[in-house]
Amino acid sequence: MVATDTVQLTDRQREVRDAVGDICDEFDAAYWREHDAEGQYPHEFVNALAEEGWLGVLLPEEYGGKGYGTEEAVAMMYTIARSGAGFSGAQTVHAAIYNSAPLVNYGGEELKADLLPRVASGDAWIQCFSLTEPKAGSESTAIETEAVRDGDEYVINGEKLWTSRIDVSDYLVLAARTTPREAVDKKTEGVSLFLVDIERGHDDDSIHLEEIDKTASGVVSSFRVTYDDLRVPADRLIGVEDEGFYQVLDGLNEERLVIAAETVGLGELAVKKGVDYANDREVFGRAIGQNQAIQHPLAAGHARLQAAKQFTFAAAKRTGDEDRKAIGAWANTAKYLAAEAAFEAADAAVQAHGGRGVDRAYDVERYLREARLTRLVPVTQELALNYLGENVLELPRSY
């Protein structure tokens, strides 16, 4: 198969790709297949990355991190997904990398000096961001979980949905309203971020979990979480009270570029599986890949993925040069293109396998489930288009 190294990488991106790729090579398709089927978190894989410092890829060197940026993160997470881990495999470490960002940018120096070196070394995990709520969904400003100041603590009550990896995390970043929505001038005001010690919450019987029985991303568990008089020390407020929503937005576009790269990696993985099977499987005396009905969808998937890949990696190189609106346009474009291309590629791979396309042993059914998920998370395709319609095409705001 022709190499898919169609993007010109920097020297440091190649170093990241090669180093992370060496780790990924230790975990074959069977590893990911079995963990997905059993709903098991891949501790061995994540620990292997942590031991080499990759959970601190974006952390400043002064806190023990590698001090890299979006360009390197794109190369790293693309490599993980493309290796066989797929989108869900990349998501097992994605949060560990990005949930520390609010602490780096807005946390107190004492907290950062204590916690971030442990995050970089893998001794402490911040794998969990608790934001989405049953009644809010994509309308993040509509969250109702409230945090009320009580002396030197905040008391937090509310319910969250789709809180992932809380079962394998030491800390979580929690978004809650410190000022009611009806009492602020702008709906984006009044939200604050908190760093929560999960073990302490369990010990105080303040955190209650209900696992969601989902059909995609089996290696990552997701939960409905109820916070019942959860007490958080006031010094665990991240940044300035009531400004948490803006802290969430900071770096969000760069993160979406990385997610687009993960999605492209998943799509290329699916195409490779489809091509390998189409070359090996013979029906009516010839390889099925000789049939255009098999060949064309795989070729189209490859073409679309390369376009999305070029756009994603090119945008990552420019994230430090342009204004936030421009980066937002690139991020939403990349996410939209990558998710559409990956889904079509995974669907083509399943179709090429015929009945075996739904057999777990051939992996492509997992890729299709994950590719479908990328059209929903971290933002739906429709919301990505809304952003482009309003901010690029200058059409009236639609929501």
Side-chain angles (χ1 to χ4, degrees):
M1 182 174 175
V2 175
T4 55
D5 295 337
T6 56
V7 173
Q8 185 175 2
L9 303 179
T10 65
D11 290 342
R12 196 154 69 177
Q13 281 180 315
R14 283 193 292 271
E15 292 173 3
V16 171
R17 177 199 62 191
D18 294 343
V20 172
D22 287 343
I23 296 173
C24 292
D25 287 344
E26 300 174 16
F27 302 90
D28 61 12
Y31 176 86
W32 293 106
R33 186 185 313 132
E34 292 163 6
H35 279 69
D36 178 79
E38 298 297 325
Q40 295 179 349
Y41 186 78
H43 287 280
E44 305 87 351
F45 171 73
V46 179
N47 286 335
L49 288 170
E51 288 172 4
E52 298 298 325
W54 290 109
L55 299 190
V57 62
L58 296 180
L59 292 179
E61 293 181 82
E62 63 187 287
Y63 300 115
K66 292 187 180 293
Y68 293 167
T70 303
E71 286 185 68
E72 292 77 24
V74 160
M76 173 183 170
M77 302 306 284
Y78 162 80
T79 299
I80 291 173
R82 180 68 171 76
S83 73
F87 183 73
S88 63
Q91 288 293 300
T92 63
V93 295
H94 180 104
I97 293 170
Y98 275 95
N99 285 345
S100 299
L103 286 172
V104 173
N105 296 328
Y106 303 103
E109 191 53 47
E110 184 176 346
L111 177 61
K112 291 194 290 186
D114 170 60
L115 182 57
L116 293 182
R118 292 190 284 131
V119 171
S121 65
D123 293 327
W125 286 5
I126 311 177
Q127 287 274 37
C128 184
F129 181 38
S130 199
L131 170 65
T132 305
E133 296 186 5
K135 294 182 180 180
S138 297
E139 189 182 3
S140 299
T141 56
I143 63 172
E144 298 176 347
T145 296
E146 64 174 5
V148 178
R149 184 71 180 256
D150 181 22
D152 60 355
E153 294 180 314
Y154 285 86
V155 181
I156 300 176
N157 286 279
E159 184 178 344
K160 298 289 186 178
L161 197 63
W162 297 114
T163 294
S164 299
R165 293 167 300 271
I166 191 172
D167 55 328
V168 294
S169 187
D170 298 305
Y171 301 91
L172 64 84
V173 177
L174 171 66
R177 278 213 163 268
T178 38
T179 300
R181 194 183 191 195
E182 61 271 15
V184 296
D185 294 329
K186 298 174 61 177
K187 61 183 180 180
T188 51
E189 298 173 345
V191 174
S192 298
L193 298 183
F194 299 89
L195 182 70
V196 176
D197 184 321
I198 296 172
E199 183 177 4
R200 176 181 171 181
H202 285 311
D203 290 344
D204 293 343
D205 198 31
S206 299
I207 297 177
H208 304 281
L209 307 181
E210 179 186 344
E211 186 170 357
I212 298 170
D213 186 13
K214 54 190 175 67
T215 59
S217 198
V219 297
V220 173
S221 296
S222 300
F223 298 85
R224 179 189 294 268
V225 184
T226 302
Y227 299 102
D228 184 10
D229 286 340
L230 173 69
R231 289 188 169 270
V232 178
D235 62 3
R236 294 302 175 97
L237 170 71
I238 301 174
V240 179
E241 186 177 275
D242 285 347
E243 295 184 7
F245 187 79
Y246 304 105
Q247 296 165 15
V248 171
L249 292 180
D250 187 24
L252 184 66
N253 292 320
E254 288 85 349
E255 183 180 1
R256 287 183 182 172
L257 285 172
V258 173
I259 288 173
E262 296 168 15
T263 305
V264 169
L266 167 66
E268 288 189 355
L269 178 62
V271 169
K272 183 180 186 304
K273 282 280 188 175
V275 169
D276 289 347
Y277 185 81
N279 280 325
D280 292 340
R281 174 66 169 161
E282 292 189 1
V283 178
F284 300 117
R286 66 181 191 174
I288 63 171
Q290 190 173 344
N291 301 318
Q292 291 180 350
I294 299 296
Q295 191 176 117
H296 286 180
L298 291 170
H302 167 75
R304 295 187 186 102
L305 285 165
Q306 296 316 301
K309 184 178 179 180
Q310 291 284 345
F311 189 93
T312 300
F313 277 73
K317 293 180 184 297
R318 298 180 61 188
T319 51
D321 300 334
E322 299 288 344
D323 61 33
R324 305 310 301 167
K325 184 175 288 189
I327 298 172
W330 299 338
N332 281 281
T333 299
K335 190 275 170 184
Y336 178 84
L337 292 175
E340 292 298 302
F343 179 76
E344 291 170 0
D347 187 56
V350 169
Q351 195 69 17
H353 280 72
R356 289 170 176 163
V358 295
D359 184 340
R360 284 188 185 271
Y362 290 84
D363 296 316
V364 289
E365 59 82 27
R366 172 166 61 90
Y367 305 154
L368 181 60
R369 286 186 280 118
E370 293 182 5
R372 186 61 184 85
L373 179 64
T374 68
R375 298 172 80 186
L376 297 171
V377 298
V379 62
T380 66
Q381 298 294 80
E382 290 78 12
L383 282 177
L385 293 176
N386 282 346
Y387 185 95
L388 297 176
E390 177 186 353
N391 294 285
V392 178
L393 305 182
E394 298 182 347
L395 294 168
R397 185 178 177 88
S398 60
Y399 62 100

